[in-house]
Amino acid sequence: MSCLRLRPKRTNSEEQAWQESLRKVAQDNGKRLGLEGDSDLRFLLNGGDLIKVRSKSWQKNRFIKLMEDCRTIGYPSEKVFKREKTFLIDDINSVRLGRLSDGLKKYTDPSEEEKCFSIIFKGKEKNLDFMASSKEEAQQWVTSLEKVVNNTRNLSKKQRSEHWFIEAMRKADKNKDNKMSLNELKIFLKQLNIEVADIYAEELFRKSDTSNSGTLEGSEIKEFYDLLTYRKEIDVIYKKYAKTDGEMSTTDLLNFLLNEQREQATMESALKLIEKYEVDETAKQNKHMTKDGFLMYLQHEEGSIFNPAHSSVYQDMSQPLNHYFISSSHNTYLMEDQLKGPSSTEAYIKALMKSCRCVELDCWDGANGEPVIYHGYTLTSKVPFKDVIKAIKDFAFKESKYPVILSLENHCTVEQQKLMAHYLISILGDDLVTKPLGNTMPTNFPSPEELKGKFLIKGKRLNKLDAMFSNNNTVEEEMVSEEDEAEDCKQNDQKAKPKETKIKLAKELSDIVIYCKSVHFSGFEHSRDNQAFYEMSSFKESKAFNLAETSATAFIHHNMDKLSRIYPAGSRTDSSNYNPVPMWNVGCQIVALNFQTPSKEMHINQGRFVQNGFCGYVLKPEFQRSLSSQFNPNSLTIGPWLQQKSLHVMVISAQQLPKLNKDKQNSIVDPLVKVEIFGVPADNASKETHYIKNNGFNPVWNEKFEFPIHVPELALVRFMVEDYDSTSQNDYIGQYCLPLTSVQNGYRHVPLLTKRGDVIPSAELFVHVMLLDRQ
């Protein structure tokens, strides 16, 4: 069943014309995706029957198909008289073959493994679980969906913009005659998130209606698109440098790259940009760049604010593990809050696919002798320990090859601990580090490079590591203190001194803790004199922030040869997050945040790790690694960290900001832009533009800001776009955060991300940025 059947009954000739029109639409959109005539695309457009799985008893046949727009998938609603349910290809995060989701594991038989697949969405949208009639059909669905998802992601900015524009136009074409009347044009402009005076709409319409027919069609619609998307700011920049017959020659482009973009460009690199982005063949042959080619360049990675050289691993990965900031998650198993939210293997998969390299496992005794993971002393649901380890094994190294730390919070009895050790060893196999690298007792951490593809266990250990190199490794189970974090959550009171709880530790679990042995923190001096390099402490946020404030330099030196893990206070029952920046300022590596909670803090975390190929490891600045360093972020003195700079930012314009209330046709945003700096206290700052009334399509600000920067190596820049509201808090539109060291100078486009960190396909900011030495 598809939406076509819900339309009013047509005559045969009308139906044939309608079907032909839809075929043409599908053909055009397939061409736009680079999939014209593709068999996988045709398979999705034809659609097919699948069993949708929601529970043991709710497994129903559904006809699923890709709509002719090639970006919407439709299937019948469960509710009578409801139109079809739909979702966008853009909203799909991934498609997974097999019984990998929690639902399919629970509600289908293992014998159906090869017939099952799941569609995983970005954001909070629940997975869709399906079962096909055969393994070949399931494979066909997964292959076809992945192809369309990937091709949609790889559309150029121009293609995305045109695709988005045409779809909005089709929605405004109420009588489906492929023409646009003035009234439809006004509806269309509101769908584009722009409200204009009738006189302006009429002027645009009149200029485009060259045939004077009273409607726009064919080339007139293209003319209207060009008028509407005309960007005066690009025109001004282009004309300044287009000195050769009104176009940019290779020399003109080189001048632009050297003078405006401050790049170390050559004639050869300028020519490569022309070859890559010029859309006019004649101009390309003349080694010229037209304005269209120039805009294409600006909208791709070379014209992005983020340095494309940093989108792959570029840092030295051969330093000891503790010399890196490590992307780290807290309560990784939770999908929502930590009082009654669901626990899920999916939460681990999502964190790992965001290059998280340290995940937490809260382990408790489960029924039938099987250990489970959940948030103790709460109503959160439970997930089998074995299932979590399998999911981690399957997804740990898909986005990053660098090591993953499994942070165990162990509350299990000895018997179930032995089973935990068995699962870790049998499932992770040779990828689990069960002894130090090399044949002698190490004196320092191995590097991320040496540990590629490996798992490290963080937890309690019964004896010192050097016992493995002697004949004295025969200790049996002993009582050890429970993890501080569990005590904190149980107490849920930052002022109360937690009483130490003891648990018996199984030797089998103890023996696989190699480089990350958990120990209680008793002060920096005590750690320096008594702790081995592999003995690490976890700090509740209040304790860590206090130490960072009162003993910053000592904390930095502590982290020069040891690891520190910071975790949110137990009082954060809503799974909110603390600001990670002060912790990075004192060199803490494992700054654990609630990945499941979209927040400013998670945006900053994503910004910190977007560099170095988004691999989850970022090399700390040299002054946080050198033993002679006396760096203190709170009271800056002269040293290699102090580089007096001025960051100049001009917020010029934005393009195609999303409507916040898509259901309300008249809802138009009033956007403003905040530019924020996060780093050492002396660098923290925020400035904002005025708001533009009723224009989310192409607002222009042209506002300049200046920020003094003292420690650029620790600074992050965040661009935040909000919908202004005079009576309540501004609404979130989009944001982008990146390290100052990854910012490219000059005229740059800034991508915008959703609250959950996914790219908003067509939206972007246009800015001019310059980082200069301060006199």
Side-chain angles (χ1 to χ4, degrees):
M1 176 178 164
S2 81
C3 66
L4 306 184
R5 298 173 200 177
L6 297 174
R7 294 185 178 279
K9 190 158 178 63
R10 303 184 180 89
T11 65
N12 285 343
S13 60
E14 283 176 334
E15 186 63 34
Q16 282 176 352
W18 173 251
Q19 294 291 348
E20 183 54 40
S21 165
L22 288 176
R23 271 193 292 276
K24 179 73 171 67
V25 169
Q27 191 178 5
D28 289 347
N29 285 313
K31 191 174 181 179
R32 193 174 292 113
L33 283 173
L35 294 173
E36 189 179 13
D38 183 82
S39 59
D40 289 323
L41 179 66
R42 198 161 53 245
F43 170 81
L44 293 177
L45 287 165
N46 290 334
D49 289 312
L50 290 167
I51 295 170
K52 186 182 173 197
V53 178
R54 276 179 52 184
S55 69
K56 206 80 172 166
S57 58
W58 200 106
Q59 300 190 11
K60 297 188 180 179
N61 203 59
R62 290 287 179 253
F63 182 81
I64 316 289
K65 82 181 290 286
L66 179 67
M67 299 307 186
E68 287 70 18
D69 63 2
C70 292
R71 65 189 297 263
T72 310
I73 289 180
Y75 61 100
S77 169
E78 287 85 56
K79 294 176 183 169
V80 185
F81 304 123
K82 284 275 185 180
R83 287 182 68 83
E84 281 202 325
K85 282 196 166 183
T86 60
F87 59 86
L88 293 174
I89 291 289
D90 267 330
D91 292 336
I92 296 176
N93 185 296
S94 59
V95 188
R96 298 187 198 140
L97 186 63
R99 297 167 63 251
L100 293 178
S101 72
D102 292 340
L104 287 172
K105 280 179 198 156
K106 268 191 220 170
Y107 307 132
T108 62
D109 193 87
S111 64
E112 310 283 10
E113 175 78 36
E114 294 178 317
K115 296 180 187 176
C116 295
F117 71 94
S118 301
I119 296 175
I120 314 299
F121 293 101
K122 300 169 184 172
K124 289 186 78 171
E125 189 74 27
K126 285 184 179 173
N127 303 346
L128 282 176
D129 292 330
F130 293 110
M131 190 155 52
S133 58
S134 67
K135 88 171 186 183
E136 291 76 19
E137 192 185 353
Q139 182 67 63
Q140 174 77 73
W141 275 100
V142 171
T143 302
S144 302
L145 283 167
E146 282 180 338
K147 185 182 281 187
V148 174
V149 168
N150 288 333
N151 280 47
T152 301
R153 281 180 189 157
N154 292 330
L155 286 174
S156 71
K157 279 280 184 190
K158 189 170 189 294
Q159 288 170 317
R160 277 188 178 280
S161 177
E162 287 177 355
H163 193 59
W164 175 79
F165 185 91
I166 288 163
E167 285 316 308
M169 189 173 277
R170 283 209 175 101
K171 283 179 191 168
D173 184 11
K174 294 297 184 186
N175 59 1
K176 307 297 176 194
D177 62 356
N178 292 322
K179 298 176 184 177
M180 185 163 282
S181 66
L182 178 58
N183 197 42
E184 286 172 333
L185 177 81
K186 290 175 182 176
I187 294 169
F188 168 67
L189 289 171
K190 284 184 176 172
Q191 284 181 347
L192 289 188
N193 208 358
I194 178 172
E195 188 165 273
V196 298
D198 282 356
I199 193 164
Y200 178 66
E202 287 161 15
E203 184 188 349
L204 273 180
F205 189 85
R206 184 174 43 76
K207 280 184 180 174
S208 307
D209 183 18
T210 50
S211 64
N212 295 316
S213 63
T215 59
L216 304 183
E217 55 186 303
S219 61
E220 293 173 336
I221 290 175
K222 174 72 169 76
E223 172 67 17
F224 169 65
Y225 172 78
D226 290 341
L227 281 172
L228 195 63
T229 55
Y230 168 71
R231 292 177 56 187
K232 185 179 177 183
E233 69 273 28
I234 301 296
D235 223 13
V236 170
I237 301 162
Y238 182 76
K239 281 178 179 173
K240 182 178 175 183
Y241 285 91
K243 303 292 187 187
T244 313
D245 301 326
E247 291 182 348
M248 271 189 181
S249 65
T250 313
T251 304
D252 295 337
L253 178 58
L254 179 61
N255 285 338
F256 171 77
L257 296 172
L258 293 171
N259 297 324
E260 295 289 355
Q261 308 299 72
R262 303 292 176 99
E263 293 179 17
Q264 293 178 318
T266 61
M267 285 291 278
E268 186 184 5
S269 59
L271 187 56
K272 276 184 181 172
L273 288 178
I274 291 171
E275 287 168 356
K276 187 173 180 180
Y277 293 116
E278 182 47 56
V279 289
D280 183 290
E281 283 305 318
T282 306
K284 195 184 279 190
Q285 285 170 9
N286 293 331
K287 299 179 181 177
H288 282 195
M289 185 176 262
T290 63
K291 192 170 72 174
D292 281 347
F294 181 66
L295 181 57
M296 192 75 88
Y297 144 71
L298 281 175
Q299 290 182 318
H300 283 75
E301 63 172 9
E302 290 90 346
S304 169
I305 191 165
F306 179 71
N307 185 344
H310 293 188
S311 61
S312 54
V313 174
Y314 69 96
Q315 294 180 336
D316 177 8
M317 301 305 284
S318 63
Q319 302 266 338
L321 196 71
N322 64 306
H323 283 190
Y324 298 82
F325 298 127
I326 303 171
S327 181
S328 305
S329 162
H330 174 250
N331 288 349
T332 315
Y333 45 88
L334 289 179
M335 298 289 281
E336 294 170 18
D337 69 71
Q338 55 195 55
L339 285 182
K340 56 187 187 309
S343 305
S344 171
T345 55
E346 185 58 40
Y348 284 93
I349 294 169
K350 284 191 170 176
L352 292 166
M353 294 299 278
K354 288 179 180 173
S355 296
C356 177
R357 300 290 86 189
C358 179
V359 296
E360 184 182 24
L361 296 88
D362 236 348
C363 310
W364 299 79
D365 280 355
N368 307 315
E370 288 286 338
V372 293
I373 290 176
Y374 82 110
H375 200 56
Y377 315 111
T378 69
L379 299 174
T380 57
S381 64
K382 299 171 183 177
V383 58
F385 179 84
K386 177 170 64 173
D387 288 356
V388 168
I389 302 305
K390 282 181 178 173
I392 289 172
K393 166 73 172 173
D394 288 340
F395 288 90
F397 304 113
K398 286 190 181 295
E399 287 298 311
S400 168
K401 300 300 179 192
Y402 291 102
V404 171
I405 299 168
L406 307 186
S407 181
L408 300 184
E409 196 176 307
N410 172 22
H411 311 278
C412 294
T413 54
V414 168
E415 286 311 306
Q416 294 207 15
Q417 287 180 44
K418 288 178 179 177
L419 199 51
M420 283 166 58
H422 167 72
Y423 288 142
L424 287 164
I425 292 165
S426 62
I427 295 169
L428 302 180
D430 292 341
D431 295 340
L432 178 65
V433 174
T434 56
K435 59 182 183 182
L437 274 56
N439 300 316
T440 56
M441 178 60 202
T443 56
N444 206 345
F445 287 100
S447 69
E449 193 62 39
E450 291 172 293
L451 291 168
K452 251 186 176 177
K454 297 292 185 185
F455 294 98
L456 303 176
I457 305 298
K458 173 197 164 288
K460 295 290 182 179
R461 185 180 167 90
L462 291 165
N463 55 7
K464 293 273 188 182
L465 196 57
D466 51 13
M468 297 186 78
F469 295 89
S470 68
N471 297 319
N472 189 28
N473 195 27
T474 56
V475 295
E476 293 302 319
E477 292 88 15
E478 284 181 11
M479 302 300 284
V480 294
S481 61
E482 196 178 75
E483 286 286 287
D484 297 341
E485 188 172 337
E487 281 302 302
D488 171 42
C489 294
K490 203 193 303 182
Q491 296 270 332
N492 208 357
D493 180 0
Q494 293 188 21
K495 292 174 189 169
K497 186 175 170 62
K499 74 175 194 302
E500 192 170 65
T501 307
K502 297 275 189 176
I503 63 162
K504 194 176 246 193
L505 181 62
K507 181 179 185 298
E508 291 85 344
L509 198 56
S510 164
D511 283 352
I512 55 175
V513 173
I514 306 300
Y515 290 111
C516 301
K517 177 185 175 183
S518 297
V519 297
H520 181 72
F521 178 74
S522 300
F524 292 127
E525 201 173 325
H526 178 271
S527 296
R528 187 186 66 231
D529 296 340
N530 298 282
Q531 279 177 225
F533 75 90
Y534 57 84
E535 293 181 307
M536 61 175 289
S537 300
S538 290
F539 300 83
K540 181 172 66 175
E541 65 171 279
S542 55
K543 172 80 170 172
F545 275 77
N546 183 47
L547 289 170
E549 186 67 36
T550 58
S551 313
T553 305
F555 212 160
I556 290 167
H557 277 264
H558 174 83
N559 290 322
M560 285 178 188
D561 68 345
K562 294 178 183 68
L563 287 168
S564 291
R565 179 175 182 269
I566 318 301
Y567 61 90
S571 55
R572 292 184 181 272
T573 53
D574 58 351
S575 291
S576 59
N577 282 310
Y578 57 86
N579 179 7
V581 175
M583 298 296 94
W584 293 326
N585 287 346
V586 290
C588 296
Q589 303 88 350
I590 303 175
V591 181
L593 298 179
N594 288 301
F595 269 53
Q596 71 274 21
T597 307
S599 59
K600 176 180 178 177
E601 295 77 20
M602 272 306 297
H603 300 159
I604 293 169
N605 193 73
Q606 190 173 3
R608 166 62 69 212
F609 291 100
V610 71
Q611 62 183 313
N612 207 29
F614 201 51
C615 75
Y617 284 83
V618 168
L619 186 64
K620 295 197 283 186
E622 200 274 338
F623 56 79
Q624 289 189 327
R625 295 179 275 127
S626 167
L627 290 171
S628 62
S629 173
Q630 288 303 305
F631 171 63
N632 183 332
N634 306 318
S635 55
L636 297 174
T637 53
I638 300 295
W641 49 85
L642 196 64
Q643 301 171 41
Q644 304 280 7
K645 305 272 185 183
S646 276
L647 177 67
H648 298 262
V649 178
M650 183 179 186
V651 178
I652 302 171
S653 61
Q655 290 73 48
Q656 298 176 14
L657 301 176
K659 280 173 79 82
L660 297 183
N661 193 337
K662 291 175 184 172
D663 298 328
K664 284 191 180 174
Q665 206 164 294
N666 294 328
S667 171
I668 310 291
V669 299
D670 302 329
L672 61 83
V673 180
K674 285 183 181 174
V675 184
E676 300 169 304
I677 310 295
F678 304 100
V680 298
D683 289 344
N684 292 333
S686 176
K687 296 183 180 183
E688 67 181 61
T689 67
H690 66 286
Y691 70 92
I692 306 286
K693 193 154 181 62
N694 288 336
N695 189 348
F697 182 69
N698 55 3
V700 176
W701 292 276
N702 284 328
E703 286 198 46
K704 294 179 181 178
F705 304 123
E706 183 180 349
F707 300 92
I709 305 289
H710 303 81
V711 186
E713 287 184 84
L714 287 174
L716 295 143
V717 186
R718 181 173 181 245
F719 296 87
M720 174 79 174
V721 188
E722 293 181 342
D723 181 14
Y724 173 77
D725 195 315
S726 60
T727 57
S728 62
Q729 193 174 352
N730 293 347
D731 288 323
Y732 176 98
I733 294 177
Q735 66 85 33
Y736 187 69
C737 184
L738 74 165
L740 185 60
T741 51
S742 295
V743 168
Q744 296 203 99
N745 283 326
Y747 288 103
R748 302 293 175 182
H749 278 98
V750 181
L752 292 175
L753 310 181
T754 65
K755 267 187 186 173
R756 292 190 172 271
D758 299 308
V759 175
I760 303 171
S762 300
E764 60 191 8
L765 284 175
F766 186 50
V767 300
H768 185 272
V769 181
M770 201 58 68
L771 185 64
L772 302 171
D773 289 328
R774 206 150 17 114
Q775 300 306 319

Short mmCIF file of all heavy atoms in Angstrom, two decimals, residues 29 74 92 123 128 130 169-170 288 341 347 356 365 432 488 491 519 524-525 597 674 680 705 723 761:
data_model
loop_
_atom_site.label_atom_id
_atom_site.label_comp_id
_atom_site.label_asym_id
_atom_site.label_seq_id
_atom_site.Cartn_x
_atom_site.Cartn_y
_atom_site.Cartn_z
N ASN A 29 15.14 12.55 -9.98
CA ASN A 29 15.77 12.47 -8.67
C ASN A 29 16.84 11.38 -8.63
O ASN A 29 17.86 11.54 -7.96
CB ASN A 29 14.72 12.23 -7.58
CG ASN A 29 13.93 13.50 -7.29
OD1 ASN A 29 14.49 14.57 -7.11
ND2 ASN A 29 12.62 13.39 -7.28
N GLY A 74 8.10 5.40 2.67
CA GLY A 74 6.74 5.34 3.23
C GLY A 74 6.33 3.92 3.54
O GLY A 74 6.75 2.97 2.89
N ILE A 92 18.48 8.66 8.31
CA ILE A 92 19.04 7.33 8.59
C ILE A 92 20.51 7.46 8.98
O ILE A 92 21.31 8.06 8.27
CB ILE A 92 18.91 6.39 7.36
CG1 ILE A 92 17.43 6.14 7.04
CG2 ILE A 92 19.64 5.07 7.59
CD1 ILE A 92 17.21 5.30 5.79
N GLY A 123 19.58 10.82 16.12
CA GLY A 123 18.73 11.40 17.17
C GLY A 123 18.01 10.34 17.99
O GLY A 123 18.45 9.21 18.13
N LEU A 128 13.90 0.92 13.40
CA LEU A 128 12.86 0.10 12.76
C LEU A 128 13.48 -1.27 12.51
O LEU A 128 14.55 -1.37 11.90
CB LEU A 128 12.42 0.71 11.43
CG LEU A 128 11.45 1.90 11.52
CD1 LEU A 128 11.18 2.46 10.13
CD2 LEU A 128 10.13 1.51 12.18
N PHE A 130 13.10 -5.10 10.91
CA PHE A 130 12.37 -5.80 9.86
C PHE A 130 12.89 -7.22 9.68
O PHE A 130 14.06 -7.52 9.98
CB PHE A 130 12.51 -5.08 8.51
CG PHE A 130 11.84 -3.73 8.47
CD1 PHE A 130 12.60 -2.56 8.41
CD2 PHE A 130 10.46 -3.61 8.48
CE1 PHE A 130 11.99 -1.31 8.37
CE2 PHE A 130 9.84 -2.36 8.44
CZ PHE A 130 10.61 -1.22 8.38
N MET A 169 9.32 23.29 -3.63
CA MET A 169 8.50 23.81 -4.72
C MET A 169 7.37 22.82 -5.05
O MET A 169 6.22 23.22 -5.29
CB MET A 169 9.38 24.05 -5.94
CG MET A 169 8.67 24.79 -7.06
SD MET A 169 9.82 25.22 -8.36
CE MET A 169 10.52 26.71 -7.70
N ARG A 170 7.70 21.55 -5.05
CA ARG A 170 6.66 20.54 -5.36
C ARG A 170 5.55 20.56 -4.31
O ARG A 170 4.38 20.38 -4.61
CB ARG A 170 7.29 19.14 -5.42
CG ARG A 170 8.06 18.92 -6.71
CD ARG A 170 8.08 17.45 -7.11
NE ARG A 170 8.73 17.34 -8.42
CZ ARG A 170 9.99 16.97 -8.59
NH1 ARG A 170 10.71 16.65 -7.54
NH2 ARG A 170 10.51 16.91 -9.79
N HIS A 288 40.22 29.16 -16.11
CA HIS A 288 39.52 30.23 -15.41
C HIS A 288 38.52 29.63 -14.43
O HIS A 288 38.08 28.49 -14.59
CB HIS A 288 38.75 31.12 -16.40
CG HIS A 288 39.62 32.08 -17.12
ND1 HIS A 288 39.13 33.17 -17.82
CD2 HIS A 288 40.98 32.16 -17.24
CE1 HIS A 288 40.13 33.85 -18.35
NE2 HIS A 288 41.25 33.25 -18.02
N GLY A 341 15.59 5.30 32.86
CA GLY A 341 15.74 5.17 31.41
C GLY A 341 16.16 3.77 30.99
O GLY A 341 16.63 2.97 31.80
N ALA A 347 23.16 1.87 22.82
CA ALA A 347 23.85 3.04 23.38
C ALA A 347 25.36 2.88 23.21
O ALA A 347 26.07 3.86 22.92
CB ALA A 347 23.49 3.21 24.85
N CYS A 356 34.00 7.23 20.38
CA CYS A 356 34.26 7.16 21.82
C CYS A 356 35.24 6.02 22.05
O CYS A 356 35.03 4.91 21.55
CB CYS A 356 32.95 6.92 22.56
SG CYS A 356 33.17 6.74 24.33
N ASP A 365 25.13 -8.58 39.53
CA ASP A 365 24.62 -9.96 39.43
C ASP A 365 23.26 -9.97 38.75
O ASP A 365 22.37 -9.18 39.10
CB ASP A 365 24.47 -10.58 40.83
CG ASP A 365 25.80 -11.08 41.37
OD1 ASP A 365 26.80 -11.02 40.62
OD2 ASP A 365 25.85 -11.53 42.52
N LEU A 432 42.02 -8.58 23.07
CA LEU A 432 42.06 -8.17 24.48
C LEU A 432 43.50 -8.21 24.98
O LEU A 432 44.20 -9.23 24.84
CB LEU A 432 41.19 -9.11 25.33
CG LEU A 432 41.17 -8.84 26.84
CD1 LEU A 432 40.53 -7.49 27.15
CD2 LEU A 432 40.43 -9.95 27.57
N ASP A 488 29.47 7.06 45.17
CA ASP A 488 28.96 8.42 44.95
C ASP A 488 27.50 8.39 44.54
O ASP A 488 26.68 9.16 45.03
CB ASP A 488 29.82 9.09 43.87
CG ASP A 488 29.24 10.42 43.42
OD1 ASP A 488 28.79 11.17 44.30
OD2 ASP A 488 29.23 10.69 42.22
N GLN A 491 25.30 7.33 47.49
CA GLN A 491 25.17 8.40 48.49
C GLN A 491 24.35 9.56 47.93
O GLN A 491 23.53 10.15 48.60
CB GLN A 491 26.56 8.94 48.85
CG GLN A 491 27.46 7.90 49.52
CD GLN A 491 27.31 7.91 51.02
OE1 GLN A 491 26.98 8.95 51.58
NE2 GLN A 491 27.54 6.80 51.66
N VAL A 519 42.79 2.67 41.41
CA VAL A 519 43.22 2.83 42.81
C VAL A 519 42.60 4.10 43.38
O VAL A 519 42.24 5.01 42.63
CB VAL A 519 44.77 2.91 42.94
CG1 VAL A 519 45.42 1.61 42.47
CG2 VAL A 519 45.33 4.11 42.17
N PHE A 524 48.33 14.15 45.42
CA PHE A 524 49.32 14.11 44.35
C PHE A 524 50.67 13.61 44.84
O PHE A 524 51.36 12.86 44.15
CB PHE A 524 49.46 15.50 43.71
CG PHE A 524 48.22 15.92 42.95
CD1 PHE A 524 47.61 17.14 43.23
CD2 PHE A 524 47.67 15.10 41.97
CE1 PHE A 524 46.47 17.53 42.54
CE2 PHE A 524 46.53 15.49 41.28
CZ PHE A 524 45.93 16.70 41.57
N GLU A 525 51.05 14.02 46.04
CA GLU A 525 52.34 13.59 46.59
C GLU A 525 52.35 12.08 46.81
O GLU A 525 53.31 11.38 46.46
CB GLU A 525 52.61 14.34 47.90
CG GLU A 525 54.07 14.37 48.27
CD GLU A 525 54.34 15.27 49.49
OE1 GLU A 525 53.66 16.31 49.63
OE2 GLU A 525 55.21 14.89 50.27
N THR A 597 23.13 12.40 26.17
CA THR A 597 22.45 13.67 26.45
C THR A 597 22.94 14.78 25.53
O THR A 597 24.07 15.24 25.66
CB THR A 597 22.68 14.09 27.92
OG1 THR A 597 22.32 13.01 28.77
CG2 THR A 597 21.86 15.33 28.27
N LYS A 674 25.78 33.40 17.83
CA LYS A 674 26.72 33.60 18.94
C LYS A 674 28.06 33.00 18.54
O LYS A 674 28.11 31.90 17.99
CB LYS A 674 26.23 32.87 20.20
CG LYS A 674 25.06 33.54 20.90
CD LYS A 674 24.71 32.77 22.16
CE LYS A 674 23.51 33.41 22.87
NZ LYS A 674 23.06 32.59 24.01
N VAL A 680 41.40 28.34 28.38
CA VAL A 680 41.81 28.76 29.72
C VAL A 680 40.89 29.91 30.14
O VAL A 680 40.32 30.60 29.28
CB VAL A 680 43.29 29.19 29.75
CG1 VAL A 680 44.20 28.03 29.37
CG2 VAL A 680 43.55 30.38 28.84
N PHE A 705 33.59 40.81 15.20
CA PHE A 705 33.97 40.61 16.61
C PHE A 705 35.48 40.38 16.69
O PHE A 705 36.09 39.88 15.75
CB PHE A 705 33.26 39.38 17.20
CG PHE A 705 31.76 39.42 17.10
CD1 PHE A 705 31.07 38.40 16.45
CD2 PHE A 705 31.04 40.47 17.63
CE1 PHE A 705 29.69 38.42 16.35
CE2 PHE A 705 29.66 40.50 17.54
CZ PHE A 705 28.98 39.48 16.90
N ASP A 723 17.17 30.97 17.36
CA ASP A 723 15.97 31.69 16.94
C ASP A 723 15.60 32.64 18.08
O ASP A 723 15.23 32.18 19.18
CB ASP A 723 14.85 30.67 16.67
CG ASP A 723 13.56 31.33 16.21
OD1 ASP A 723 13.59 32.52 15.84
OD2 ASP A 723 12.50 30.66 16.24
N PRO A 761 21.73 19.04 6.51
CA PRO A 761 22.22 18.91 5.14
C PRO A 761 22.48 20.20 4.38
O PRO A 761 23.54 20.37 3.80
CB PRO A 761 21.14 18.08 4.46
CG PRO A 761 20.54 17.28 5.56
CD PRO A 761 20.59 18.16 6.77
#
